[in-house]
């Protein structure tokens, strides 16, 4: 390569580098306005020049006469009215072309009206009528081609040198076509759009942007053509809430599905989302209707309050903290015994919410004296109690620990809440507390009963509220992280039983409902959340394997290991003897219990706490069985009956 060619190549690379730096920043609006006005100046002089060539006086230009100033002022007025210079030029679309046409048409019409008024009064015109039309044509052409030119230069600068992956657009609705237009015009750097997928059963031979429209059966016949599909967030939600199975069929074809979130205003967006394409995950496939919160009520309950959250470093507790931030609490107390997760949450809050007032406190809910120190020092007004042991098999092997944390820890918090006269106490329970078959569920049910016993006391001013929901997607120790780990290790994916089902809810949804229920409670209620339909765990495993582009039982084996101790096939949200009452929130119901808190029941609660404190496993378990008679567990000894101390 010669020196001249080398210098030429370096110069081209330098220009390309400068161009890329320029296009990363947006040009100020006043610059676009100035350019548009300059183009109109050229159009006006050009129109006057063309008109003058037809007159005896010969060729001439406007120069800077008063008529030219009047024309530019009128044009500027319509620039301001229509805000045609507000859009980002590199993302100009058909809407921008229409807006420019409106601007010029209004200006032309106004000039014609002024011309006739001026001629009627003074026998004078700014420019002859023919010149007005010529001006409009030239001005619109210049404005239009300026935007097209900038857009094309931007595309050339950003064009990828590597071959792009071929991709389809899922759907043919107006929003789907708009998404495709943006991706095509953007040269997204990732995908080359090669067609559309029709989600309806009706066949069509039409084309969009000269690209073919396929149906799912055609993809099955030539599934090597493209291996990616792009779907908008709204389309994905629409398909999930219908009976359409196209997503599952696409996953079975090993086609990767990418989600483009929240494209709302294609004319004014900065199109950042076009480069934010993400593969869909299992949470996307299990989407539910968005939560509508009574924010006014929540602000009234939580604003400017000192709020204590136990288990704050856990998946549920940390999300409750994040949700509470929206309601401007005075102080949030983060209480947890897990040092490292609590430290991580502290760093997150300092980074994302530097003005938030919070305290990180290492403490165990079993240690009543330590918890009382926290109450004495900070005087919390509201308590969200989420600290608990929740792993069913682990708790079956360590029943006293489950009792100590889930029941005794809850009792400590509740007793101290009464002593310090807090406003409301929100207890986070679980669907496993309904007709429990494991120690974890039974201990949570016992805690529910203790909370209700306190709520029934006439001399109690604390509002005790219980919330009950099922499994949370992606929470610590849940099935989804477990399956993800197994898939990364090439299997096998272990499922306990082919018919096992569970209710699922997203973390943010569950925590929003906890806050809503906590605000609406009058005391003593057990709030049950609408968990939707139960999901078969085997279907969940199939979906997660397909999302990685693999085929269940071909690429990744699924094995059934049998139900674990204390595990049941189907979870319930309501006990058999309970009914539900509606609330003002469609996803929150009240479980109306029929329990009678007589002296023996209250004594059982106290006896259970005493046996836990004495580390007496057998007596504790038998007390638990008497307290929660619906608790059935084959591993529980059946011969001794809890000895109840009679009231003196």
């Amino acid at each position: 390569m010669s020196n001249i060619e080398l210098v030429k190549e370096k110069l081209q690379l330098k220009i390309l580098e400068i161009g890329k730096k320029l296009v990363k920043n947006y040009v100020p609006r006043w610059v676009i306005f100035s350019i548009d006005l300059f183009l109109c100046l050229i159009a006006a002089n050009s129109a006057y020049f063309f008109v003058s060539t037809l007159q005896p006086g010969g060729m001439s230009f406007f120069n800077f006469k008063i008529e030219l100033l009047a024309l530019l002022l009128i044009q500027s007025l319509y620039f301001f009215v229509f805000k045609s210079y507000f859009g980002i030029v590199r993302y100009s679309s058909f809407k921008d072309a229409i807006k420019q046409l409106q601007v010029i048409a209004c200006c032309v019409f106004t000039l014609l009206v002024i011309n006739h008024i001026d001629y009627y009064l003074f026998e004078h015109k700014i420019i002859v009528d023919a010149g007005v039309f010529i001006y409009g044509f030239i001005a619109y052409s210049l404005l239009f081609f300026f935007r097209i030119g900038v857009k094309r230069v931007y595309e050339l600068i950003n064009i990828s040198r590597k071959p792009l992956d071929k991709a389809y657009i899922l759907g043919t609705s107006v929003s789907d076509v708009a998404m495709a237009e943006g991706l095509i015009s953007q040269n997204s750097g990732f995908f080359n759009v090669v067609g559309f997928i029709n989600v309806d059963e009706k066949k069509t031979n039409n084309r969009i942007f000269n690209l073919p429209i396929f149906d799912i059966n055609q993809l099955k016949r030539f599934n090597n053509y493209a291996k990616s599909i792009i779907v908008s967030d709204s389309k994905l939600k629409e398909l999930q809430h219908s009976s359409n199975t196209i997503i599952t069929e696409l996953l079975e074809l090993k086609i990767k599905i990418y989600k483009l979130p929240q494209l709302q205003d294609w004319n004014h967006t900065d199109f950042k989302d076009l480069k934010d394409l993400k593969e869909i995950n299992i949470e996307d496939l299990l989407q539910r209707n968005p939560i509508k919160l009574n924010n006014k009520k929540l602000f009234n309950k939580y604003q400017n309050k000192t709020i204590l959250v136990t288990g704050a470093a856990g998946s549920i507790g940390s999300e409750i903290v994040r949700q509470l931030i929206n309601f401007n609490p005075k102080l949030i107390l983060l209480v947890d015994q897990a040092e490292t997760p609590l430290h991580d949450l502290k760093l997150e809050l300092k980074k994302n919410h530097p003005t938030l007032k919070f305290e990180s406190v290492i403490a165990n809910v079993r240690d009543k004296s330590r918890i009382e120190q926290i109450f004495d020092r900070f005087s919390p007004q509201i308590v969200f109690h989420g600290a608990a042991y929740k792993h069913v098999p682990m708790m079956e092997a360590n029943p006293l620990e489950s009792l100590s944390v889930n029941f005794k820890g809850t009792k400590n918090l509740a007793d101290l809440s009464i002593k310090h006269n807090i406003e409301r106490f929100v207890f986070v329970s679980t669907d496993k507390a309904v007709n429990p078959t494991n120690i974890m569920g039974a201990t949570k049910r016992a805690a529910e009963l203790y909370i209700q016993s306190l709520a029934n006391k006439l001399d109690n001013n604390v509002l005790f509220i219980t919330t009950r929901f099922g499994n949370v997607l992606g929470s610590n120790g849940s099935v989804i992280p477990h399956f993800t780990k197994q898939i990364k290790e090439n299997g096998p994916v272990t499922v306990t039983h082919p018919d096992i089902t569970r209710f699922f809810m997203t973390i943010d949804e569950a925590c929003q409902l906890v806050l809503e229920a906590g605000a609406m409670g009058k005391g003593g209620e057990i709030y049950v959340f609408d968990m939707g339909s139960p999901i078969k765990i085997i279907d969940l495993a199939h979906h997660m394997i397909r999302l990685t582009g693999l085929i269940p039982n071909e690429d990744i084996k699924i094995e059934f290991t049998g139900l674990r101790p204390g595990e049941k096939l189907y979870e319930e949200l309501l006990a058999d003897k309970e009914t539900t009452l509606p609330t003002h929130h469609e996803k929150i119901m009240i479980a109306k219990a029929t329990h009678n808190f007589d002296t023996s029941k209250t004594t059982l609660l106290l006896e259970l706490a005493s046996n836990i404190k004495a580390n007496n496993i057998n007596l504790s378990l038998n007390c638990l069985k008497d307290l929660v008679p619906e608790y059935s567990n084959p591993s529980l000894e059946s011969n001794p009956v809890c000895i109840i101390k009679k009231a003196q």
Side-chain angles (χ1 to χ4, degrees):
M1 184 181 293
S2 65
N3 290 336
I4 297 176
E5 290 175 338
L6 188 62
V7 171
K8 184 178 179 181
E9 184 177 346
K10 286 183 177 179
L11 183 61
Q12 289 175 339
L13 290 173
K14 190 66 176 178
I15 293 173
L16 186 63
E17 183 182 346
I18 294 172
K20 286 186 175 182
K21 286 182 179 179
L22 287 174
V23 298
K24 285 182 179 179
N25 300 311
Y26 301 135
V27 176
R29 289 172 179 169
W30 68 266
V31 174
I32 302 300
F33 176 84
S34 301
I35 293 173
D36 286 349
L37 198 60
F38 177 72
L39 294 176
C40 290
L41 173 64
I42 294 174
N45 276 291
S46 300
Y48 196 80
F49 170 77
F50 285 125
V51 170
S52 67
T53 58
L54 302 176
Q55 295 177 348
M59 297 181 293
S60 63
F61 294 93
F62 247 131
N63 296 322
F64 290 97
K65 297 180 180 178
I66 189 67
E67 291 87 349
L68 177 62
L69 180 61
L71 187 152
L72 293 179
L73 285 174
I74 294 169
Q75 188 65 74
S76 299
L77 173 66
Y78 285 109
F79 282 154
F80 282 112
V81 170
F82 287 94
K83 294 182 172 56
S84 60
Y85 57 93
F86 269 46
I88 299 171
V89 177
R90 74 187 70 162
Y91 302 130
S92 296
S93 64
F94 181 71
K95 284 185 178 180
D96 295 287
I98 295 299
K99 183 169 287 189
Q100 295 300 331
L101 184 61
Q102 291 173 331
V103 168
I104 297 301
C106 288
C107 182
V108 167
F109 177 77
T110 304
L111 287 172
L112 290 174
V113 171
I114 292 175
N115 258 353
H116 284 276
I117 294 174
D118 197 20
Y119 185 78
Y120 178 77
L121 295 175
F122 307 108
E123 295 187 354
H124 174 269
K125 290 185 177 182
I126 295 178
I127 184 173
V128 295
D129 292 350
V132 174
F133 287 107
I134 294 173
Y135 163 75
F137 175 78
I138 297 175
Y140 177 73
S141 300
L142 290 175
L143 293 173
F144 178 79
F145 286 111
F146 161 63
R147 282 158 173 76
I148 294 298
V150 171
K151 183 175 182 177
R152 183 57 183 160
V153 169
Y154 178 78
E155 290 173 0
L156 291 174
I157 290 174
N158 283 276
I159 194 167
S160 176
R161 295 187 177 184
K162 63 179 182 180
L164 303 179
D165 293 334
K166 294 178 180 178
Y168 306 109
I169 299 294
L170 186 60
T172 55
S173 66
V174 174
S175 59
D176 301 324
V177 173
M179 178 174 66
E181 181 186 14
L183 285 166
I184 293 169
S185 64
Q186 270 286 313
N187 260 317
S188 67
F190 300 100
F191 297 104
N192 175 27
V193 177
V194 295
F196 293 80
I197 305 299
N198 186 20
V199 298
D200 301 320
E201 294 182 359
K202 295 183 294 183
K203 292 186 177 180
T204 177
N205 294 320
N206 295 332
R207 297 172 75 88
I208 300 176
F209 302 134
N210 203 32
L211 297 174
I213 301 174
F214 304 108
D215 60 36
I216 190 68
N217 293 323
Q218 289 174 302
L219 290 189
K220 291 177 181 177
R221 290 197 296 270
F222 51 87
N223 58 6
N224 290 324
Y225 186 46
K227 286 297 182 182
S228 300
I229 280 185
I230 302 168
V231 58
S232 66
D233 185 60
S234 58
K235 175 67 70 177
L236 185 60
K237 290 178 181 177
E238 175 188 324
L239 292 173
Q240 285 305 113
H241 297 142
S242 69
S243 58
N244 200 308
T245 60
I246 192 168
I247 297 292
T248 300
E249 293 179 271
L250 291 171
L251 291 174
E252 289 174 350
L253 293 174
K254 292 189 175 182
I255 294 178
K256 289 188 176 182
I257 304 174
Y258 294 85
K259 182 180 71 170
L260 190 61
Q262 298 177 349
L263 283 177
Q264 297 170 342
D265 190 347
W266 286 80
N267 190 40
H268 296 105
T269 182
D270 63 358
F271 285 78
K272 176 179 68 175
D273 289 332
L274 289 177
K275 296 181 180 179
D276 197 25
L277 288 160
K278 296 179 180 178
E279 286 190 58
I280 64 170
N281 53 35
I282 193 64
E283 286 83 359
D284 294 318
L285 297 182
L286 300 176
Q287 286 187 77
R288 292 153 55 84
N289 293 326
I291 299 292
K292 295 179 182 178
L293 295 179
N294 188 340
N295 286 330
K296 184 177 180 180
K297 175 179 282 189
L298 297 186
F299 264 104
N300 290 338
K301 300 299 182 185
Y302 303 133
Q303 189 176 27
N304 202 33
K305 297 292 176 66
T306 298
I307 303 175
L308 186 151
V309 181
T310 69
S315 50
I316 298 295
S318 61
E319 184 60 27
I320 288 176
V321 170
R322 296 184 190 100
Q323 299 286 347
L324 283 170
I325 294 171
N326 300 321
F327 304 104
N328 301 327
K330 178 181 178 181
L331 176 68
I332 301 180
L333 304 173
L334 313 176
V335 177
D336 206 298
Q337 66 168 340
E339 174 195 14
T340 300
L342 189 60
H343 177 68
D344 293 340
L345 178 61
K346 177 181 178 181
L347 294 179
E348 175 195 326
L349 295 179
K350 281 190 172 182
K351 177 182 177 182
N352 299 333
H353 307 280
T355 61
L356 176 69
K357 293 183 179 179
F358 68 92
E359 291 285 341
S360 303
V361 183
I362 301 291
N364 193 318
V365 293
R366 289 182 290 194
D367 188 346
K368 188 173 182 178
S369 60
R370 171 65 176 134
I371 298 298
E372 185 158 26
Q373 287 178 346
I374 300 171
F375 275 80
D376 289 336
R377 179 181 175 187
F378 297 105
S379 301
Q381 296 159 286
I382 297 172
V383 172
F384 284 91
H385 177 41
Y389 281 145
K390 63 180 184 177
H391 293 284
V392 171
M394 191 75 75
M395 292 304 99
E396 289 297 295
N398 300 274
L400 196 60
E401 289 298 303
S402 184
L403 283 161
S404 180
V405 171
N406 295 354
F407 176 77
K408 192 65 165 41
T410 302
K411 182 178 183 299
N412 290 340
L413 263 295
D415 291 344
L416 289 171
S417 296
I418 290 178
K419 181 179 179 180
H420 290 263
N421 199 31
I422 72 163
E423 294 178 13
R424 56 186 60 228
F425 181 102
V426 183
F427 173 48
V428 178
S429 188
T430 171
D431 59 354
K432 292 178 176 62
V434 182
N435 294 327
T437 59
N438 53 68
I439 191 71
M440 193 281 280
T443 56
K444 293 292 270 188
R445 179 58 184 149
E448 287 183 358
L449 292 173
Y450 188 75
I451 293 296
Q452 287 186 292
S453 72
L454 295 180
N456 288 344
K457 289 184 177 181
L458 297 177
D459 59 345
N460 168 43
N461 295 321
V462 180
L463 296 179
F464 284 100
I465 300 148
T466 298
T467 61
R468 186 193 286 166
F469 51 88
N471 297 277
V472 175
L473 290 170
S475 63
N476 296 335
S478 69
V479 67
I480 289 178
H482 180 61
F483 281 173
T484 301
K485 184 173 183 288
Q486 290 181 325
I487 293 169
K488 286 181 178 179
E489 295 171 352
N490 297 318
V493 172
T494 55
V495 180
T496 57
H497 193 283
D499 295 325
I500 193 169
T501 63
R502 289 292 180 267
F503 293 98
F504 283 99
M505 179 178 280
T506 61
I507 292 178
D508 61 333
E509 182 181 13
C511 294
Q512 287 178 58
L513 290 176
V514 167
L515 296 189
E516 180 77 26
M520 73 167 69
K522 304 298 182 183
E525 305 97 337
I526 295 179
Y527 286 107
V528 181
F529 298 163
D530 174 15
M531 298 293 296
S533 301
I535 296 168
K536 292 187 73 171
I537 301 301
I538 185 66
D539 292 341
L540 194 67
H542 283 163
H543 275 314
M544 292 187 67
I545 293 171
R546 290 190 183 109
L547 281 171
T548 62
L550 303 173
I551 299 177
N553 292 319
E554 289 187 19
D555 303 313
I556 297 286
K557 188 178 179 182
I558 296 178
E559 291 183 355
F560 297 106
T561 59
L563 292 176
R564 298 171 295 180
E567 189 173 43
K568 54 185 177 180
L569 280 177
Y570 314 106
E571 297 289 7
E572 307 162 82
L573 289 177
L574 294 174
D576 294 338
K577 295 183 180 180
E578 290 177 324
T579 57
T580 58
L581 297 174
T583 68
H584 71 266
H585 198 289
E586 60 181 5
K587 293 193 176 185
I588 303 177
M589 298 157 286
I590 298 175
K592 190 167 181 61
T594 57
H595 298 286
N596 182 22
F597 290 101
D598 54 17
T599 304
S600 63
K601 207 75 164 179
T602 304
T603 305
L604 270 173
L605 288 166
L606 298 176
E607 186 70 20
L608 177 59
S610 176
N611 290 330
I612 294 170
K613 185 176 182 180
N615 289 325
N616 193 320
I617 297 178
N618 290 332
L619 286 179
S620 296
L621 289 176
N622 286 311
C623 273
L624 181 65
K625 177 60 180 174
D626 281 355
L627 187 63
V628 187
E630 64 271 25
Y631 172 36
S632 60
N633 190 332
S635 63
L636 191 68
E637 294 183 4
S638 58
N639 52 343
V641 178
C642 181
I643 301 173
I644 305 173
K645 293 181 180 179
K646 294 182 178 181
Q648 299 298 325

